[in-house]
Amino acid sequence: MREPGTEIEIQDLSVRYDEGDQTVLALDRISLTVRRNEFVCVMGPSGCGKTTLLYVIAGIVRPSSGTVLVEGEPVDRPGPDRAVVFQEDAVFPWMTVEQNIGYSLRMRGRPKDEIRAVVDRHVELVGLQEFRRAWPRQLSGGMKKRVDLARGYAANPKVLLMDEPFGALDIETKERLQEELHSLWLVAPRTIVFITHDLEEALFLGDRVILLSPRPGRIAETYVPDLDQQRDMSIKGSARFVALSTELRGKLKSFNVDVDAGAS
Ligand code: ADP
Ligand code: MG
């Protein structure tokens, strides 16, 4: 039976990649339920199957076995109910900020008034009012990321899937974007599955942090950070945050892989 408020249900999901005579078991019997408007971070070292998991939910990769349901419907292809934000920004260089943000609505043939209203709201949500007519080449990396987030949100999907979206940013910009995404999610709640190999990022953003262990990718641990809802980077100095990150770091070390191996 599906609980009311359940958005994503993953049951016994396994993904095997076959390459010639080599087989990689990328995910091994993953079961996970995500509630509506929950912010779930999936974290783990490089190669543990994070992107594979996200791509299965997105409908880009087919499971070898098991099922994925979004609002009770089996996922078998990409769809407008799921938007993906990748590490590389996917801003169209030939469109202005506002054209980028309104793209999905234009594609769906929505009326001009509606597009304008949605673009106005989302330009404001990510603080790009002064840049709405700017071209992507005029924007910093952080600003392009804001356009990406706004575009994902403006498409009004049920689920936002993010694969290390801040992985290529410098640390100051990354932390600012983490604070902004958290605030954005508080004012505009949405079901988010956020992939990262950065444990502090996961603890800062997640309602729940799912730790994957590598080879094969399995759920090793689940953490509920339970931090103050209104938070900024200063929370990283709190006893709770320090204890959680120490625990998570220890767990990662026990996997015996290079924890800071970087995104992939
Ligand atoms: P992560 O995102 O955690 O770094 P991935 O999901 O990208 O992990 O990869 C998990 C494992 O599956 C890795 O061992 C990777 O080499 C392998 N893999 C990923 N995509 C493919 C593919 N298309 N073909 C073959 N192997 C793949
Ligand atoms: Mg990856």
Side-chain angles (χ1 to χ4, degrees):
M1 265 301 278
R2 193 152 65 97
E3 299 271 329
T6 296
E7 188 86 77
I8 306 172
E9 285 169 278
I10 300 172
Q11 270 294 339
D12 269 332
L13 168 70
S14 296
V15 176
R16 206 171 298 107
Y17 292 111
D18 293 311
E19 278 206 324
D21 52 6
Q22 290 267 45
T23 293
V24 177
L25 185 55
L27 294 174
D28 186 24
R29 288 165 295 158
I30 302 283
S31 292
L32 174 66
T33 301
V34 180
R35 294 187 304 277
R36 185 159 309 126
N37 295 341
E38 191 180 15
F39 198 133
V40 170
C41 287
V42 177
M43 96 116 331
S46 184
C48 72
K50 304 183 293 297
T51 295
T52 300
L53 178 61
L54 200 83
Y55 282 9
V56 173
I57 303 171
I60 301 168
V61 166
R62 301 296 293 269
S64 305
S65 58
T67 52
V68 177
L69 308 179
V70 171
E71 292 203 343
E73 295 292 319
V75 167
D76 57 4
R77 71 193 74 171
D81 57 335
R82 287 150 289 137
V84 188
V85 181
F86 299 95
Q87 178 174 328
E88 312 78 43
D89 62 68
V91 174
F92 298 126
W94 61 89
M95 289 183 197
T96 62
V97 166
E98 58 185 9
Q99 287 167 344
N100 265 289
I101 295 175
Y103 174 74
S104 66
L105 287 97
R106 285 202 306 286
M107 291 306 284
R108 278 185 246 156
R110 304 306 304 165
K112 278 212 163 66
D113 289 356
E114 180 188 327
I115 298 178
R116 170 150 284 277
V118 171
V119 168
D120 283 351
R121 172 167 153 77
H122 289 84
V123 160
E124 196 168 318
L125 276 173
V126 297
L128 286 175
Q129 295 93 321
E130 285 168 43
F131 296 91
R132 52 186 302 155
R133 293 198 177 80
W135 298 97
R137 64 171 184 279
Q138 301 173 295
L139 305 179
S140 66
M143 284 152 91
K144 277 192 262 192
K145 220 61 242 183
R146 290 182 182 95
V147 176
D148 253 350
L149 292 178
R151 191 168 57 172
Y153 256 93
N156 198 26
K158 289 176 185 148
V159 177
L160 272 165
L161 303 168
M162 304 193 182
D163 192 4
E164 313 222 19
F166 307 147
L169 302 174
D170 62 80
I171 183 73
E172 289 80 14
T173 309
K174 182 176 178 164
E175 292 191 336
R176 189 150 8 99
L177 266 288
Q178 288 167 3
E179 289 179 338
E180 287 178 15
L181 175 59
H182 177 69
S183 309
L184 181 60
W185 174 78
L186 286 181
V187 295
R190 193 59 57 117
T191 310
I192 299 183
V193 179
F194 186 106
I195 302 290
T196 181
H197 71 279
D198 175 337
L199 70 94
E200 293 199 337
E201 180 168 70
L203 291 173
F204 180 79
L205 287 171
D207 277 333
R208 196 149 48 111
V209 177
I210 309 292
L211 176 64
L212 293 188
S213 61
R215 286 176 271 280
R218 289 186 180 142
I219 295 183
E221 210 76 53
T222 298
Y223 298 91
V224 178
D226 198 22
L227 304 170
D228 294 344
Q229 239 196 8
Q230 302 292 341
R231 56 182 178 262
D232 57 27
M233 283 303 139
S234 66
I235 198 112
K236 290 189 176 177
S238 70
R240 171 89 182 138
F241 195 94
V242 172
L244 278 168
S245 44
T246 306
E247 190 180 334
L248 194 41
R249 203 176 302 277
K251 194 78 198 175
L252 277 164
K253 276 227 175 78
S254 74
F255 298 158
N256 210 15
V257 292
D258 190 356
V259 172
D260 296 315
S264 70

